[in-house]
C-alpha cells in the first residue's frame, strides 16, 4: 500500500487547504477574498460522522437541522432551506419537499470536502444564495490504480450506513462507482402526548419524534483526460428513499396509513480546457429529476396496500459556461453565463408549471497595491416571471504577513419558487392535517449583505472573527391563518381527500406572503490549532439574531438559534503499522425560537467520542475498525408531546457506535 494513503502516517490538520466556492476558482483558503469554512473528509471521518447532516451540525454551529418525514429542515445563519444553495461540484442540487431538502441524496462515500460560504453570493451563483452556499466537492483519484473500499457504521435504533466504492484509473481514463445505504428506525423519547385542547390529560402515542427510513444511492462517473489541457467528465446519480413509520392502529394514535417514497435521478456532462495554469474554459450541463409521493401500507376506504399516489414531481435543466482568465500577472477575471429551466408538477391542486432564467456574470480580482486585493463582481439575471435583476459584489482584502482583513458587500436575489407561487397542498403529518397554499402575487426577495472579517493564520494556528449584517426585503414567509366555518367549507371543496375526522383537527392553514423585511445580525469566531505533534483542537462560536417584520411588528425568525458552539479535540499517533485516532467533539446551543402558538425548544449540549484504529495489514489491504459513543452524557428531550410543542434535540440518548473500513488495492 502507498504509505501516503494510510491514516497510520503522522499528519497535522491542513490549515490552508485549496478551495473554490468563495471566488469561483481554485486558490488557497488564506488567499480567498471571501471567507470560506471547509470540512475535510479526514475531519468528518475522525469524528465518526457518516451522514451529510451530521457533518454540518456537528462541525458548524451556524447550521441547524430538523429531520422529518418531509426531508431535513436546514438553516444557515438563521435562514432556512430556500435561502441556501446546495451545490455538488458547483452544480445545483434540485428537489425538496415543502422546502425541506432531501439530504439523503448526497452520497458521503464520494465527499472530498464540504465548503460553506456565508452570506449573499448571488453575483456568482444567482437565485437562492441569500443565506449562503454549501458546495460538496467529490473525490476522484487520478493515480493509476484499482481500488475497492467498504465503509460501515452501526449504532442504536437500527441506524446503519454502508458505503462501497470502486475506483479505476489508467492512462487518463477514470471510472468511479459508488453505492450508499443509509437506514434508521423510528423512535420517540416519551410515549405520552397531551390530549388536544388539554395541558393536563395525556394519552399514549406512537407518532415518531424521529422518522425512520431506508435510503439507497448509486453513482457512476467517467472521466477522460487525453492530455494535460483537456478533461471530460460524465456521470449519473440515482437515489431512492422510503420512510419507515409506525402503521396506524385503532387502539393508539400517531400511526400512518402510508409511507413517503422519494426518487431522484441526476446526470451531468462537462468539460474543461486549460490553456495554461491560469487560463481555462469550462462548460457543464445538468439534468436533475426528483419526485415523491405516498405508498400505502394500510388498506383504507380509497387505497389498497401497495398503492402509490404521486404528490410532487420536479425537474431542472441547467447549462453553464465559465472562463477563468489571468489577464495580468496580479489579477484573475471570470466571465460566465447560466441557463436554467425548472418544472413543477403537483397532484394536489393540479399544478403544472415551469419557469426559465438566463444570467451573465463577471468577476475581477486585482492587486491594487502590495498586500491589498480588490474583488468586484456583477450578475445580470433575466427571470421569466420576475424580469431583470442586477446583483453586485465588492470585497477588499488587506493581507500583511499572516494577517487578513476583509470587508465585503454583496447583493442577493431570490425568485419565489414554483411551489410558493402555485402550491395547493394537503397532507397529514403525525396525525395532524396540514394545508399549504401558494400565492401567485408574491414579489421577489432582495438582500444586502455586509461583513467584516479579521484573520490570523500560520502552520500552527488559524483564528478568525467575522461580524455580518444580512437585510432582506420582501421576505417570503408562511403565515398561519385561522380556519373558521366559512373557510372550512371552501377548503373541503378544494381538498376533497380531507376526512371529517381530519377536518375537526384543522385549526389553521399556511399561506405564502411577503413580509416587509428580514434582518439577520451575527458574529462568528473560529479557532483551529495544531497545538503539538499529534494533537489538534478546533472551536467555533456563532451568535445569530434573526428577525422578520410585517407592518410595525417585529418577530423572531422561525427556528433561529441565538448562540451555538462546536468543539473538537483530536489526538493521533502511529506505531509502525498501527495508528490510533481519538476524537472528542461537542455541540452546545441555546434555545430554538418558534413563532405563533408554538413554544420555544430548550437548548442542549451533546458530546461524542470516536476512536479509530488503523492497520496496514499488507500492501494490498488496509483495515480501520472504529468504536465510539454518541451522546456520552445521555441528553434527551423527553417532554410530553403536544400540538404546541416542537423540538430541537432529536437524539434518542447515549448509543454505542461501531464501524469498519476496508480498502483493497
Amino acid at each position: 500500500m502507498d504509505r501516503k494513503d494510510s491514516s497510520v502516517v503522522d499528519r497535522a490538520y491542513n490549515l490552508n487547504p485549496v478551495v473554490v466556492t468563495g471566488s469561483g476558482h481554485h486558490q488557497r483558503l488564506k488567499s480567498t477574498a471571501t471567507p470560506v469554512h471547509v470540512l475535510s473528509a479526514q475531519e468528518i471521518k475522525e469524528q465518526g460522522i457518516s451522514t451529510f447532516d451530521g457533518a454540518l451540525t456537528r462541525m458548524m454551529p451556524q447550521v441547524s437541522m430538523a429531520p422529518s418525514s418531509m426531508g431535513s429542515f436546514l438553516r444557515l445563519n438563521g435562514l432556512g432551506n430556500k435561502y441556501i444553495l446546495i451545490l455538488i461540484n458547483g452544480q445545483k442540487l434540485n428537489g425538496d419537499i415543502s422546502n425541506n431538502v432531501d439530504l439523503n441524496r448526497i452520497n458521503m462515500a464520494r465527499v472530498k470536502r464540504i465548503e460553506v460560504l456565508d452570506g449573499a453570493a448571488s453575483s456568482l451563483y444567482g437565485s437562492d444564495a441569500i443565506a449562503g452556499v454549501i458546495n460538496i466537492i467529490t473525490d476522484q483519484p487520478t493515480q493509476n490504480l484499482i481500488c475497492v473500499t467498504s465503509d460501515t457504521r452501526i449504532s442504536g435504533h437500527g441506524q446503519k450506513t454502508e458505503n462501497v466504492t470502486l475506483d479505476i484509473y489508467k492512462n487518463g481514463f477514470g471510472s468511479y462507482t459508488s453505492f450508499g445505504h443509509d437506514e434508521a428506525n423510528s423512535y420517540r423519547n416519551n410515549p405520552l402526548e397531551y390530549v388536544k385542547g388539554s395541558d393536563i390529560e395525556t394519552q399514549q402515542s406512537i407518532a415518531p419524534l424521529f422518522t425512520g427510513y431506508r435510503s439507497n444511492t448509486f453513482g457512476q462517473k467517467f472521466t477522460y483526460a487525453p492530455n494535460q489541457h483537456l478533461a471530460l467528465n460524465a456521470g449519473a446519480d440515482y437515489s431512492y428513499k422510503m420512510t419507515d413509520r409506525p402503521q396506524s392502529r385503532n387502539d393508539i394514535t400517531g400511526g400512518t396509513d402510508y409511507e413517503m417514497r422519494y426518487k431522484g435521478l441526476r446526470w451531468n456532462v462537462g468539460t474543461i480546457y486549460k490553456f495554461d495554469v491560469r487560463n481555462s474554459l469550462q462548460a457543464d450541463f445538468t439534468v436533475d429529476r426528483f419526485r415523491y409521493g405516498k405508498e400505502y401500507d394500510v388498506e383504507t376506504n380509497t387505497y389498497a396496500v401497495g398503492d402509490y399516489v404521486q404528490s410532487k414531481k420536479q425537474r431542472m435543466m441547467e447549462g453553464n459556461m465559465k472562463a477563468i482568465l489571468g489577464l495580468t500577472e496580479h489579477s484573475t477575471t471570470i466571465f460566465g453565463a447560466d441557463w436554467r429551466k425548472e418544472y413543477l408538477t403537483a397532484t394536489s391542486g393540479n399544478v403544472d408549471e415551469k419557469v426559465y432564467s438566463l444570467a451573465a456574470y463577471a468577476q475581477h480580482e486585482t492587486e491594487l497595491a502590495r498586500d491589498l486585493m480588490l474583488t468586484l463582481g456583477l450578475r445580470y439575471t433575466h427571470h421569466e416571471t420576475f424580469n431583470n435583476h442586477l446583483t453586485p459584489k465588492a470585497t477588499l482584502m488587506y493581507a500583511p504577513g499572516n494577517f487578513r482583513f476583509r470587508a465585503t458587500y454583496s447583493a442577493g436575489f431570490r425568485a419565489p419558487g414554483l411551489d410558493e407561487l402555485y402550491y395547493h397542498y394537503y397532507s397529514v403529518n403525525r396525525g395532524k392535517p396540514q394545508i399549504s397554499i401558494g400565492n401567485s402575487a408574491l414579489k421577489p426577495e432582495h438582500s444586502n449583505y455586509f461583513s467584516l472579517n479579521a484573520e490570523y493564520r500560520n502552520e500552527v494556528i488559524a483564528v478568525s472573527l467575522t461580524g455580518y449584517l444580512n437585510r432582506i426585503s420582501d421576505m417570503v414567509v408562511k403565515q398561519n391563518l385561522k380556519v373558521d366555518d366559512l373557510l372550512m367549507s371552501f377548503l373541503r371543496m378544494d381538498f376533497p381527500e380531507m376526512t371529517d375526522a381530519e377536518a375537526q383537527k384543522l385549526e389553521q392553514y399556511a399561506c405564502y406572503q411577503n413580509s416587509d423585511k428580514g434582518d439577520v445580525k451575527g458574529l462568528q469566531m473560529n479557532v483551529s490549532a495544531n497545538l503539538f505533534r499529534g494533537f489538534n483542537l478546533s472551536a467555533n462560536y456563532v451568535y445569530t439574531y434573526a428577525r422578520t417584520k410585517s407592518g410595525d411588528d417585529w418577530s423572531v425568525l422561525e427556528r433561529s438559534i441565538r448562540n451555538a458552539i462546536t468543539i473538537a479535540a483530536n489526538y493521533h499517533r502511529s506505531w509502525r503499522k498501527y495508528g490510533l485516532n481519538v476524537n472528542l467533539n461537542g455541540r452546545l446551543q441555546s434555545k430554538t425560537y418558534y413563532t405563533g402558538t408554538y413554544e420555544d425548544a430548550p437548548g442542549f449540549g451533546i458530546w461524542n467520542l470516536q476512536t479509530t484504529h488503523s492497520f496496514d495489514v499488507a500492501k494490498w489491504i488496509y483495515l480501520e475498525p472504529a468504536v465510539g459513543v454518541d451522546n456520552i452524557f445521555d441528553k434527551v428531550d423527553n417532554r410530553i408531546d403536544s400540538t404546541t410543542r416542537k423540538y430541537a434535540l432529536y437524539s434518542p440518548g447515549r448509543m454505542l457506535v461501531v464501524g469498519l473500513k476496508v480498502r483493497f488495492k
Side-chain angles (χ1 to χ4, degrees), residues 11 13 43 46-48 58-59 527-532 534-540 566-572 581-587 607-611:
R11 53 84 187 117
Y13 280 105
E43 294 172 283
E46 289 174 346
Q47 292 201 20
R58 282 199 189 184
M59 304 174 72
V527 179
S528 300
N530 298 318
L531 296 182
F532 53 84
F535 184 75
N536 316 104
L537 180 67
S538 65
N540 309 284
T566 59
I567 300 172
N570 190 86
Y571 176 74
H572 57 271
N581 190 90
V582 181
N583 188 285
L584 178 67
N585 62 81
R587 178 184 177 95
W607 291 91
N608 312 288
L609 178 67
Q610 172 78 4
T611 68

Side-chain angles (χ1 to χ4, degrees), residues 37 39 55-63 76 116 566 587:
H37 307 277
L39 311 179
L56 292 178
T57 55
R58 282 199 189 184
M59 304 174 72
M60 298 196 63
Q62 63 266 48
V63 177
L76 174 63
V116 180
T566 59
R587 178 184 177 95

